[in-house]
């Protein structure tokens, strides 16, 4: 049977701040005696002659192409630990692999040994250095700067690609949960990832687990099942650059077969098993230490592991010098950058493989002690390395920091106690003679929502060795040792996790308690306006981010309060409406007030809404249409796509649409936000449209908060708006599809997108972008209304959505606006009693008008600036008996005095 050996090296940057390969490229240059670009020309195996370290070595010959540091010869021999003969295999995972025929950047110390672990050799191919994700020219300049041969700095940047993590795009996979929320790696543990948009079959899809910062994630290798809403996989281990790696605690993502990747969802890896173990339940080790105190600390580390499982490590006493393959702990001169190295020899061929012997070598080049005085603590480092003897792998997640098997440590620190996850690991491999776990309970946590501060008290009991320690974590945050009641005094909907371990090392499975605190009242808005009828009916809409709305009440003109979400007035005149809502835990909103007028039996009133510019026109439109609003939707006034795509979102929020400059929100707009009593501003479009600075100033001036919905371009922004509408109201019945490089059809559709709280998606003439297709399919809509004829939007641009569709159009933009209005009337989306009229030749003055008309259930017609078009005139004459109000949107330069006079004549008795 062939024996194999593998090793874990604890390597360091030059400042000695880490227990793993944490040397940056610049650290490696500074620590190296020689840095070369070389071809790998040969490789041979030889038997090692030393009693220390592995019994086999590999000699690699490099042919120098260029020297970036030092003066190397043309041919360089490099000796590496490990290799293979006919009857023995020695494997050292932290030793880089040199493949004959490849070209590599190599870092060598003064003794000709490779430094930096697997990163001591970086493959250079096709002009790229893959590990650094940069071009060879860029990496070469970084090396020369660090070596002092080139003036710097060299800006470190990816070779290609621009991050757009803030882009909100519909259609990507979404993870809603992972069950269970924690599991071990390398043990065939299965977890189920739940969510949506994964795809009905896997194809080229994948589930990725966090490995360590700055490194690619580890892909799941075994898939049990895959559906659009659930994927079951095994938590993976892997070999990364020759290193025995494992998934760690951190974000898990799903990538579908089209290459779209979900946002990360937190997951906890408790421990990672390497797959081989000792045949029995004990082993004997020996120590060759520089001092008796060091040997004592090694013994303490071994006793710590032995105390928590059925496996025992026995002290075989001190030795003067190590002997190969006899379970020795010793100090030796190792390669520059190494803190220590653990070798493990095993015999493959059984179910898991059988460990034969282990050794630990600690580097004499570093200061050793008890962790004080800027030394490395012998006990902490050996405790970690003995975990590798047991075949537990390193973890590198932020949630793994408290564990002994966390792969990064620091000089001057101690970690001498095993974490519950470390104990779970050794017990998985070797079992435990005491299987009883503690039992924890929590008190002070209500069963549902509460408006009071929650004070959670955790207690634990154990019927054998007694409770050693209790832990807790809030949500996916870090774990803490419980020392007293935990208070929750602010609004939140989270989970308190808690568990205990006993003095024998038994760890309880984490328990959970839902923490739901709601101290904020609901926010109610009223659909008030001028009513051209004998009575008024007003819809009250309430939202609550916590326990939910329990009731809404209103009163009219100071009368008694009445329950309900629909208010009404049965008499003509001006009325004052007060309204408020209460949530499920009793938080009552302060009463809000709105004024409205009921007018009947009058002729059609024609009014021009215009300001000095497009920004003030939008303010005038808001003042005329909205008495109050809980939110304001803000878009740039420099272009039309964002504002038109925003109409449906404004409808979902019952909000006006107003405009801003890229670097400034006009003072009049800020004042209008205050008048409306809004609590937030929602910007549509990226920072180039309206900057963060401008939004921050406006929000501060109005005393509100702000957020942004945007995508990579106008199509992505419209898709992101659609996703936000779905988030706010759920699936939508209809979406509107318009051409993205023109404004007229989208403008005509905007009132109905507002009233139906439906998205307006943008497309190109000959085909819909992928982001638009994904948004349409993800909206839940049962139909698509296409605004514009085949010459504007081809059938191909619509059929790619895969949804039923109806095309609505006329012979020109003015006729299309009329056709959209008649279609909306046939669907019950508008009466219309109120009609807006805007120029179809320019967009600025009408950007906010579509939303305003939608808010009153009205329609929007387009006209030429100089004269009222025949299509719009004919419609107005046909519907004039029902029309009570005509709003001309924009100044005289947009809609001429002549056009206004014609409209006034149509409205006269």
């Amino acid at each position: 049977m062939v024996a194999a050996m593998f090793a874990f090296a604890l390597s360091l940057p030059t400042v000695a701040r880490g227990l793993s390969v944490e040397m940056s490229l610049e650290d490696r240059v500074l620590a190296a005696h020689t840095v070369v670009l070389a071809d790998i020309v040969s490789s041979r195996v030889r038997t090692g002659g030393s009693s220390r370290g592995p019994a086999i070595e590999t000699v690699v010959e490099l042919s120098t192409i260029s020297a970036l540091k030092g003066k190397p010869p043309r041919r360089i021999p490099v000796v590496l630990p490990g290799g293979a003969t006919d009857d023995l295999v020695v494997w050292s995972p932290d030793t880089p692999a040199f493949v004959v025929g490849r070209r590599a950047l190599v870092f060598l110390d003064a003794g000709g040994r490779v430094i930096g672990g697997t990163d001591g050799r970086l493959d250079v191919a096709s002009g790229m250095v893959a590990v650094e994700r940069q071009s060879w020219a860029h990496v070469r300049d970084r090396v020369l700067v660090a070596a002092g041969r080139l003036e710097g700095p060299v800006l470190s940047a990816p070779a290609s690609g621009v991050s757009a993590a803030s882009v909100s795009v519909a259609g990507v996979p979404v993870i809603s949960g992972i069950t269970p929320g924690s599991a071990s790696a390398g043990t065939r543990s299965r977890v189920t990832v739940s969510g949506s948009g994964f795809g009905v079959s896997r194809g080229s899809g994948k589930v990725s687990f966090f490995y360590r910062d700055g490194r690619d994630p580890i892909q799941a290798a075994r898939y049990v099942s895959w559906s659009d809403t659930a994927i079951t996989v095994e938590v993976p281990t892997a070999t990364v650059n020759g290193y025995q790696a494992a998934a760690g605690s951190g974000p898990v993502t799903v990538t579908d077969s089209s290459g779209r990747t979900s946002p990360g969802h937190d997951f906890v890896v408790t421990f990672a098993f390497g797959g081989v173990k000792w045949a029995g339940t004990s082993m004997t080790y020996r120590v060759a230490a520089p001092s008796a105190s060091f040997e004592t600390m090694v013994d303490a580390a071994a006793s710590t592991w032995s105390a928590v499982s059925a496996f025992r490590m026995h002290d075989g006493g001190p030795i003067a010098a190590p002997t190969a393959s006899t379970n020795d702990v010793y100090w030796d001169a190792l390669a520059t950058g190494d803190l220590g190295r653990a070798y493990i020899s095993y015999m493959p061929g059984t179910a898991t493989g059988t460990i034969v012997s282990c050794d630990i070598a600690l580097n004499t080049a570093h200061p050793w002690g008890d962790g004080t005085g800027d030394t490395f603590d012998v006990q902490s480092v050996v405790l970690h390395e003995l975990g590798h003897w047991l075949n537990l792998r390193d973890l590198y997640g932020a949630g793994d920091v408290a564990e002994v098997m966390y792969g990064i440590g620091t000089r001057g620190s101690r970690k001498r106690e095993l974490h519950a996850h470390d104990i779970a690991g050794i017990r998985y491999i070797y079992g435990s003679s005491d299987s009883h776990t503690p039992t924890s309970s929590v008190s002070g946590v209500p069963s549902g929502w509460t408006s009071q501060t929650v004070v959670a008290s955790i207690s634990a009991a154990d019927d054998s060795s007694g409770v050693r320690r209790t832990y807790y974590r809030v949500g996916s945050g870090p774990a803490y040792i419980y020392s007293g009641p935990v208070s929750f005094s602010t609004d939140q909907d989270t989970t308190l996790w808690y568990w205990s371990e006993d003095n024998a090392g038994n760890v309880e499975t984490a328990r959970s308690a839902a923490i739901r605190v709601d101290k904020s009242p609901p926010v109610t808005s009223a659909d008030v306006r001028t009513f051209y009828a004998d009575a008024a009916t007003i819809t009250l809409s309430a939202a609550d981010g916590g326990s939910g709305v329990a009731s809404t009440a209103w009163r009219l003109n100071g009368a008694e309060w009445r329950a309900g979400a629909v208010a009404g007035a049965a008499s003509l005149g001006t009325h004052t409406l007060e309204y408020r809502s209460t949530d499920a835990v009793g938080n009552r909103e302060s009463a809000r007030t709105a004024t409205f007028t009921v007018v009947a039996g009058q002729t059609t009133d024609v009014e021009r809404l215009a300001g000095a510019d497009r920004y003030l026109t939008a303010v005038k439109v808001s003042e005329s249409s909205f008495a109050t609003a809980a939110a304001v939707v803000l878009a740039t006034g420099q272009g039309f796509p964002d504002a038109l795509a925003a109409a449906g979102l404004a409808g979902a929020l019952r909000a006006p649409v107003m405009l801003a400059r890229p670097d400034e929100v006009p003072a009049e707009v800020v004042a209008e936000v205050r008048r409306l009593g809004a609590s937030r501003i929602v910007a549509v479009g990226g920072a180039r449209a309206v900057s963060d600075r401008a939004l921050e100033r406006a929000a501060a001036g109005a005393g509100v908060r702000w957020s942004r919905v945007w995508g990579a371009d106008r199509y992505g922004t419209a898709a992101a708006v659609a996703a936000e509408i779905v988030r706010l109201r759920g699936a939508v019945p209809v979406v509107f599809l318009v051409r993205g490089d023109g404004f007229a059809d989208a403008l005509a559709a905007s009132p109905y997108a507002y009233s139906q709280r439906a998205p307006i998606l943008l497309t190109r003439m000959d085909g819909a972008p992928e982001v638009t297709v994904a948004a349409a399919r993800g909206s839940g809509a049962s139909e698509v209304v296409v605004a514009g004829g085949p010459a504007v939007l081809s059938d191909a641009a619509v059929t790619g959505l895969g949804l039923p569709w109806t095309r609505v159009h006329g012979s020109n933009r003015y006729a299309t606006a009329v056709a959209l209005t008649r279609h909306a009337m046939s669907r019950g989306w508008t009466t219309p009693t109120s009609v807006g009229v805007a120029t179809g030749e320019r967009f600025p003055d009408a950007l906010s008008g579509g939303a305003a008309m939608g808010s009153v259930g009205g329609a929007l017609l387009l006209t030429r600036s100089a004269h009222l078009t025949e299509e719009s005139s004919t419609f107005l004459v046909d519907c004039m008996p029902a029309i009570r109000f005509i709003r001309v949107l924009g100044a005289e330069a947009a809609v001429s005095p002549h056009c206004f006079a014609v409209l006034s004549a149509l409205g006269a008795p």
Side-chain angles (χ1 to χ4, degrees):
M1 187 176 292
V2 177
M5 173 179 284
F6 59 92
F8 293 85
L10 307 186
S11 302
L12 301 164
T14 52
V15 293
R17 292 180 54 201
L19 296 180
S20 64
V21 183
E22 285 296 300
M23 299 179 77
S24 68
L25 181 80
E26 286 72 17
D27 289 331
R28 277 172 265 150
V29 175
L30 292 173
H33 179 271
T34 303
V35 183
V36 296
L37 176 68
D39 286 332
I40 304 163
V41 296
S42 68
S43 175
R44 63 184 176 87
V45 174
R46 72 183 185 190
T47 301
S50 172
S51 63
R52 300 183 176 191
I56 292 178
E57 298 174 337
T58 300
V59 181
V60 175
E61 186 175 16
L62 307 179
S63 177
T64 301
I65 303 299
S66 62
L68 282 70
K69 182 178 181 182
K71 298 180 179 180
R74 185 171 177 273
R75 296 280 180 165
I76 306 173
V78 176
V79 179
L80 305 169
T85 65
D86 291 339
D87 58 356
L88 181 65
V89 177
V90 177
W91 183 27
S92 177
D94 265 326
T95 301
F98 284 78
V99 179
V100 174
R102 291 188 180 176
R103 180 165 292 181
L105 179 66
V106 185
F107 303 81
L108 303 171
D109 66 9
R113 295 170 299 194
V114 179
I115 69 170
T118 56
D119 290 339
R121 183 274 301 132
L122 303 179
D123 279 336
V124 180
S126 302
M128 293 293 299
V129 181
V131 171
E132 293 291 328
R133 301 177 183 174
Q134 293 176 340
S135 69
W136 159 243
H138 190 88
V139 171
R140 177 199 61 209
D141 288 349
R142 288 176 61 194
V143 172
L144 292 174
V145 168
R149 296 181 57 190
L150 181 69
E151 292 186 2
V154 176
L155 297 178
S156 180
S160 64
V162 178
S163 174
S166 298
V167 177
S168 174
V169 179
V172 301
V174 175
I175 300 176
S176 60
I178 302 177
T179 306
S182 63
S184 53
T187 61
R188 307 297 297 268
S189 294
R190 296 179 177 182
V191 296
T192 298
V193 182
S194 303
S196 60
F198 302 155
V200 295
S201 61
R202 180 188 170 196
S204 59
K206 58 188 178 183
V207 177
S208 303
F209 288 76
F210 175 82
Y211 168 39
R212 61 190 297 183
D213 287 335
R215 304 293 178 91
D216 290 335
I218 291 177
Q219 312 300 332
R222 291 188 176 95
Y223 293 82
V224 179
S225 62
W226 184 299
S227 73
D228 192 53
T229 58
I231 304 168
T232 299
V233 298
E234 293 182 6
V235 183
T237 58
T239 300
V240 179
N241 291 332
Y243 181 73
Q244 293 300 292
S249 299
V252 171
T253 60
V254 172
T255 302
D256 65 16
S257 58
S258 298
R260 295 169 293 197
T261 300
S262 71
H265 192 286
D266 282 340
F267 177 73
V268 174
V269 174
T270 53
F271 65 87
F273 176 43
V276 300
K277 59 185 292 186
W278 295 86
T281 58
S282 67
M283 54 81 66
T284 300
Y285 66 91
R286 305 181 306 168
V287 183
S291 70
S293 63
F294 285 8
E295 181 182 357
T296 299
M297 283 188 275
V298 172
D299 292 340
S303 297
T304 300
W305 283 110
S306 296
V308 297
S309 80
F311 189 82
R312 298 291 183 267
M313 298 183 183
H314 299 295
D315 178 12
I319 54 174
T323 303
S325 302
T326 54
N327 308 329
D328 296 338
V329 180
Y330 59 96
W331 274 252
D332 197 1
L334 302 178
T336 303
D338 279 359
L339 177 61
R341 187 176 288 269
Y343 299 96
I344 305 175
S345 300
Y346 74 96
M347 300 292 292
T350 61
T352 62
T354 302
I355 296 175
V356 175
S357 65
C358 297
D359 294 291
I360 295 174
L362 303 179
N363 198 342
T364 55
H366 297 292
W368 293 96
D370 61 358
T372 61
D374 202 30
T375 62
F376 285 102
D377 180 34
V378 172
Q379 184 170 336
S380 297
V381 173
V382 172
L383 186 66
H384 176 90
E385 289 305 305
L386 290 176
H388 289 316
W389 279 18
L390 299 166
N391 211 6
L392 293 173
R393 294 188 178 182
D394 288 322
L395 301 176
Y396 291 99
D400 305 320
V401 173
E403 299 173 31
V404 164
M405 296 316 298
Y406 179 63
I408 301 173
T410 57
R411 189 189 297 206
S413 66
R414 290 183 176 186
K415 192 183 292 183
R416 295 182 168 186
E417 293 185 3
L418 297 175
H419 186 276
H421 293 168
D422 300 314
I423 297 171
I426 186 175
R427 288 189 169 180
Y428 169 83
I429 304 170
Y430 301 103
S432 172
S433 57
D434 178 7
S435 60
H436 297 285
T437 59
T439 302
S440 302
S441 61
V442 67
S443 61
V445 179
S447 59
W449 286 93
T450 179
S451 61
Q452 305 300 311
T453 295
V454 172
V455 181
S457 297
I458 305 172
S459 58
D462 185 78
D463 59 3
S464 54
S465 60
V467 177
R468 178 190 179 204
R469 192 171 290 168
T470 297
Y471 302 88
Y472 74 94
R473 71 158 42 98
V474 179
S476 59
Y480 298 98
I481 297 173
Y482 178 77
S483 60
V486 183
S487 295
F488 301 88
S489 58
T490 59
D491 287 0
Q492 55 193 287
D493 183 3
T494 189
T495 301
L496 173 66
W497 299 92
Y498 58 96
W499 66 97
S500 298
E501 62 175 319
D502 64 19
N503 288 308
N506 293 297
V507 182
E508 178 184 19
T509 301
R511 301 172 183 268
S512 64
I515 307 295
R516 297 186 175 98
V517 179
D518 180 6
K519 295 190 174 186
S520 301
V523 176
T524 310
S525 59
D527 180 24
V528 295
R529 58 190 184 274
T530 300
F531 295 88
Y532 295 93
D534 294 330
T537 299
I538 298 171
T539 301
L540 303 175
S541 301
D544 185 78
S547 57
V549 177
S551 63
T552 299
W554 59 275
R555 66 177 179 178
L556 194 66
N557 303 323
E560 294 295 322
W561 285 94
R562 302 175 63 179
V566 179
S571 60
L572 303 180
T574 299
H575 303 277
T576 299
L577 175 69
E578 295 174 85
Y579 52 95
R580 67 191 183 200
S581 295
T582 304
D583 65 21
V585 293
N587 295 304
R588 175 181 287 178
E589 178 184 21
S590 298
R592 298 175 180 267
T593 302
T595 301
F596 64 95
T597 303
V598 180
V599 181
Q602 298 183 4
T603 59
T604 301
D605 189 3
V606 182
E607 179 185 7
R608 185 188 294 274
L609 300 178
D613 55 26
R614 64 191 66 182
Y615 307 100
L616 299 188
T617 293
V619 171
K620 289 289 187 182
V621 170
S622 174
E623 291 173 344
S624 173
S625 305
F626 296 89
T628 63
V632 168
V633 175
L634 194 67
T636 178
Q638 304 297 304
F640 58 84
D642 293 346
L644 296 178
L649 177 59
L653 296 170
R654 298 301 183 190
V657 173
M658 286 189 275
L659 308 177
R661 300 180 181 91
D663 57 354
E664 177 194 26
V665 178
E668 293 84 354
V669 174
V670 176
E672 178 63 3
V673 174
R674 289 197 299 266
R675 182 194 70 81
L676 290 166
S679 60
R680 61 174 172 147
I681 295 172
V682 180
V684 174
R688 290 185 178 180
V690 184
S691 70
D692 286 356
R693 184 179 180 87
L695 289 170
E696 289 167 358
R697 288 179 173 175
V704 300
R705 64 185 189 276
W706 69 275
S707 60
R708 183 190 300 279
V709 181
W710 66 297
D713 55 20
R714 63 184 63 188
Y715 306 99
T717 292
V721 169
E724 180 66 7
I725 294 172
V726 171
R727 188 188 72 82
L728 289 171
R729 64 160 296 184
V732 299
V734 64
V735 296
F736 294 88
L737 187 70
V738 302
R739 186 162 166 173
D741 56 0
F743 69 88
D745 294 341
L747 187 65
S750 59
Y752 320 119
Y754 187 105
S755 67
Q756 300 309 300
R757 296 180 289 173
I760 294 179
L761 295 175
L762 309 183
T763 185
R764 299 184 180 93
M765 191 276 182
D766 293 325
E770 182 178 339
V771 69
T772 301
V773 175
R777 294 177 180 176
S779 69
S782 58
E783 69 165 318
V784 177
V785 172
V786 181
V792 175
L793 274 180
S794 68
D795 286 355
V798 187
T799 55
L801 301 184
L803 296 172
W805 55 282
T806 302
R807 186 186 293 277
V808 180
H809 69 101
S811 58
N812 54 38
R813 64 185 58 188
Y814 309 103
T816 294
V818 170
L820 281 167
T821 301
R822 293 192 183 279
H823 181 77
M825 293 170 66
S826 70
R827 299 293 298 274
W829 297 344
T830 181
T831 310
T833 58
S834 185
V835 177
V837 178
T839 177
E841 297 171 325
R842 295 184 297 277
F843 65 83
D845 288 334
L847 287 178
S848 59
M853 299 314 302
S855 72
V856 296
L860 183 63
L861 303 179
L862 303 180
T863 183
R864 297 188 184 277
S865 296
H867 63 274
L868 185 65
T869 60
E870 180 179 353
E871 296 84 356
S872 298
S873 176
T874 299
F875 175 84
L876 289 169
V877 170
D878 290 345
C879 298
M880 192 56 69
I883 299 173
R884 297 300 182 192
F885 201 90
I886 297 175
R887 291 174 175 170
V888 177
L889 305 173
E892 292 180 351
V895 181
S896 68
H898 171 74
C899 192
F900 184 86
V902 172
L903 291 169
S904 298
L906 289 174

